[in-house]
Amino acid sequence: MLDSYPKDLGAIDKSKLGECIKACLECGQACTACADACLSEDMVAELTKCIRTNLDCADICLSTGSVLSRHTGYDANVTRGALQSCAAVCKACADECETHADMHGHCRVCAQSCRRCEQACNDLIAALG
Amino acid sequence: MLDSYPKDLGAIDKSKLGECIKACLECGQACTACADACLSEDMVAELTKCIRTNLDCADICLSTGSVLSRHTGYDANVTRGALQSCAAVCKACADECETHADMHGHCRVCAQSCRRCEQACNDLIAALG
Amino acid sequence: MLDSYPKDLGAIDKSKLGECIKACLECGQACTACADACLSEDMVAELTKCIRTNLDCADICLSTGSVLSRHTGYDANVTRGALQSCAAVCKACADECETHADMHGHCRVCAQSCRRCEQACNDLIAALG
Amino acid sequence: MLDSYPKDLGAIDKSKLGECIKACLECGQACTACADACLSEDMVAELTKCIRTNLDCADICLSTGSVLSRHTGYDANVTRGALQSCAAVCKACADECETHADMHGHCRVCAQSCRRCEQACNDLIAALG
């Protein structure tokens, strides 16, 4: 869709932007699914912090993916704030999921998705200047 | 993520489910981007119905993708209702975007994404029985 | 905000519409909070179906509230589909929360919020004709 | 719902938290409705930046409202990041809507809602320490 935007995208790094949108959507879905998989584990009582962080991460990743998908009337402060918030929650969720990665495959996959999204957000923040 | 779900997914067609989740996320992003691209066209005044339908479709696709990503405590009525609502808005958005597809590349790409998601929802509804 | 819409809202019952938007937002928030409160209960393992239904209900209520907040380029099929999906998930969530209402205040409050939203959706569906 | 949370909410200012959740939901709805009302104005071509900022603000307010509605496994970094992002987009949206407030009632009401939410977010950031 990025290539079909009718106006100039400005100085933004289109490749980094596309990667970050994709990372946000994938991480949002991974976190929704990881929260649900945790909920289905017999040891759910030990995974409540993981579920909560998953849910926050899903919400913020999806809203950040939507903000990044808009280019009309661009405002760097809004985009930067959304990216910083997304990087923070992805870091928190990756940190938490990593502590369960040995035991639960969904936490391992989700942690990787969160790290990729954290990195993509930080790369894009750096590219914004 | 589907493969890492710790419990039995039940009788659901895992391949159709995975395709539908993917189609919902892609369509949600395409619709957000198409609404924004329409907003940037000089002839935006003729695209207001398209923008509105894009926004509805984005909201419903993302929420449906989240519902489908959950398997714990499955309730067929909830899933069916979400899929029917998603198929309806994808049809409406595809119909609308197709009327602009000759003129706007973003509407052409978005219409294809909406048709794929409409089909994926209808396939999954049929598979639910 | 309904009173400041610049064009004619058509034949829709403005009072029922306003009540339904409000009910969707309140129910979405109640379900998010109920899911989190369930997560914090010592008996969380017995509340996993409740949490999952809460999460679905929160997602669908918020997206339905957004669809109902738009009037430009109105499409009755989209609105009806969203309302039917919302009524279905509110019923499912109310039914589930009611089974825990004696034990958990958050489920009691959430069940009431779900019933109100289910009713508001059904009233609006009837008003749409 | 705040009063029915089963565990200790910690040192957080419950009144400021409740106000901020409410402000996020109201602002999210106001921004969705203002985007749609702008779309319906004859001069929509001059309101495209307003619509875009409205859409970002709606997405971020709703996700922030959800993050704030969770208390289990609280992480101050996640909450602070979400609040800072929300305050930034509310400021941007209020600034933009205020430039149209004389001409459009929906922008006037929406600007007030954005300012209230910006203030509520900043108050809660200050209360978090």
Side-chain angles (χ1 to χ4, degrees):
Chain A
M1 288 298 293
L2 274 181
D3 292 324
S4 65
Y5 186 71
K7 292 283 194 302
D8 188 6
L9 281 170
I12 204 157
D13 183 321
K14 212 200 272 193
S15 153
K16 283 200 169 56
L17 176 61
E19 278 170 39
C20 196
I21 293 171
K22 205 177 153 215
C24 284
L25 289 172
E26 284 179 358
C27 189
Q29 198 275 330
C31 286
T32 299
C34 188
D36 182 71
C38 286
L39 211 53
S40 192
E41 296 285 355
D42 295 331
M43 59 181 287
V44 56
E46 298 166 51
L47 294 167
T48 55
K49 184 179 171 53
C50 192
I51 294 171
R52 186 261 157 97
T53 314
N54 277 151
L55 296 176
D56 283 357
C57 198
D59 283 337
I60 293 174
C61 280
L62 290 187
S63 67
T64 303
S66 296
V67 170
L68 295 177
S69 299
R70 297 182 187 115
H71 318 298
T72 305
Y74 172 76
D75 181 325
N77 287 331
V78 172
T79 299
R80 194 179 293 109
L83 286 168
Q84 286 169 337
S85 169
C86 196
V89 77
C90 285
K91 185 190 181 320
C93 198
D95 287 350
E96 179 63 30
C97 276
E98 280 169 5
T99 68
H100 314 290
D102 284 348
M103 202 171 292
H104 304 304
H106 47 85
C107 286
R108 190 164 52 247
V109 175
C110 188
Q112 291 165 353
S113 195
C114 291
R115 285 289 174 224
R116 267 197 304 276
C117 192
E118 179 194 4
Q119 188 63 50
C121 288
N122 284 326
D123 286 352
L124 194 54
I125 291 168
L128 290 180
Chain B
M1 288 298 294
L2 274 179
D3 292 322
S4 65
Y5 186 71
K7 293 282 192 302
D8 188 6
L9 281 172
I12 203 156
D13 183 322
K14 212 200 273 194
S15 154
K16 281 199 171 57
L17 176 61
E19 277 170 41
C20 196
I21 294 171
K22 205 177 153 214
C24 284
L25 289 172
E26 283 179 359
C27 188
Q29 199 276 328
C31 285
T32 299
C34 188
D36 181 71
C38 286
L39 211 54
S40 193
E41 296 285 354
D42 294 332
M43 57 181 287
V44 56
E46 297 167 51
L47 295 166
T48 56
K49 184 180 170 51
C50 191
I51 294 171
R52 188 259 156 99
T53 314
N54 278 152
L55 295 175
D56 283 358
C57 197
D59 283 336
I60 292 174
C61 282
L62 289 187
S63 67
T64 303
S66 296
V67 170
L68 295 177
S69 299
R70 298 184 186 112
H71 319 296
T72 305
Y74 173 75
D75 181 325
N77 287 331
V78 172
T79 299
R80 194 180 293 108
L83 286 168
Q84 287 169 336
S85 168
C86 196
V89 76
C90 285
K91 183 188 181 321
C93 199
D95 287 349
E96 177 64 30
C97 276
E98 280 169 4
T99 67
H100 312 290
D102 284 349
M103 202 171 292
H104 302 304
H106 48 86
C107 287
R108 190 162 53 247
V109 175
C110 188
Q112 292 165 353
S113 195
C114 291
R115 285 287 174 226
R116 268 196 305 275
C117 193
E118 180 193 3
Q119 188 63 51
C121 289
N122 284 327
D123 286 353
L124 194 54
I125 292 169
L128 291 179
Chain C
M1 288 297 296
L2 274 179
D3 292 324
S4 65
Y5 186 71
K7 293 282 193 301
D8 188 6
L9 281 171
I12 204 156
D13 184 321
K14 213 200 276 196
S15 154
K16 283 199 169 56
L17 176 61
E19 276 169 42
C20 196
I21 293 171
K22 204 176 154 215
C24 284
L25 289 172
E26 283 179 359
C27 188
Q29 199 275 331
C31 286
T32 299
C34 188
D36 181 71
C38 287
L39 211 53
S40 192
E41 295 286 356
D42 294 332
M43 58 179 288
V44 57
E46 298 166 52
L47 295 167
T48 57
K49 184 178 169 54
C50 192
I51 294 171
R52 186 260 157 97
T53 314
N54 277 152
L55 295 176
D56 283 357
C57 198
D59 283 336
I60 292 174
C61 281
L62 289 187
S63 67
T64 302
S66 297
V67 170
L68 296 178
S69 300
R70 298 182 187 114
H71 320 297
T72 305
Y74 172 75
D75 181 325
N77 288 331
V78 172
T79 299
R80 194 180 292 108
L83 286 168
Q84 286 169 337
S85 169
C86 196
V89 76
C90 285
K91 183 189 182 320
C93 198
D95 286 351
E96 178 63 31
C97 275
E98 279 169 5
T99 69
H100 313 291
D102 283 349
M103 202 171 294
H104 303 303
H106 47 87
C107 286
R108 189 162 55 247
V109 175
C110 188
Q112 292 165 351
S113 195
C114 291
R115 285 287 174 227
R116 267 196 306 273
C117 192
E118 181 194 2
Q119 187 63 52
C121 288
N122 284 327
D123 286 352
L124 194 53
I125 291 169
L128 290 180
Chain D
M1 289 296 295
L2 273 180
D3 291 323
S4 65
Y5 186 72
K7 293 283 192 302
D8 188 6
L9 282 171
I12 204 156
D13 183 322
K14 211 200 273 194
S15 154
K16 282 199 169 59
L17 176 61
E19 278 170 39
C20 196
I21 293 171
K22 204 177 155 217
C24 284
L25 290 172
E26 284 180 358
C27 188
Q29 199 275 330
C31 285
T32 298
C34 187
D36 181 70
C38 286
L39 210 53
S40 192
E41 295 286 354
D42 295 331
M43 59 180 288
V44 57
E46 297 167 51
L47 295 167
T48 56
K49 184 179 170 54
C50 191
I51 294 171
R52 186 261 156 97
T53 314
N54 277 151
L55 295 175
D56 282 357
C57 198
D59 283 336
I60 294 175
C61 281
L62 290 187
S63 68
T64 302
S66 296
V67 170
L68 295 178
S69 298
R70 300 182 186 114
H71 319 297
T72 305
Y74 173 74
D75 181 325
N77 288 331
V78 171
T79 299
R80 194 179 292 110
L83 286 168
Q84 287 170 337
S85 170
C86 197
V89 77
C90 286
K91 183 190 182 318
C93 199
D95 287 350
E96 178 63 31
C97 276
E98 280 169 5
T99 68
H100 312 290
D102 283 348
M103 202 171 295
H104 303 303
H106 48 86
C107 286
R108 189 162 54 247
V109 175
C110 188
Q112 290 164 353
S113 194
C114 291
R115 284 290 173 225
R116 267 196 305 274
C117 192
E118 180 193 2
Q119 187 63 50
C121 288
N122 284 328
D123 286 352
L124 194 55
I125 292 170
L128 292 179

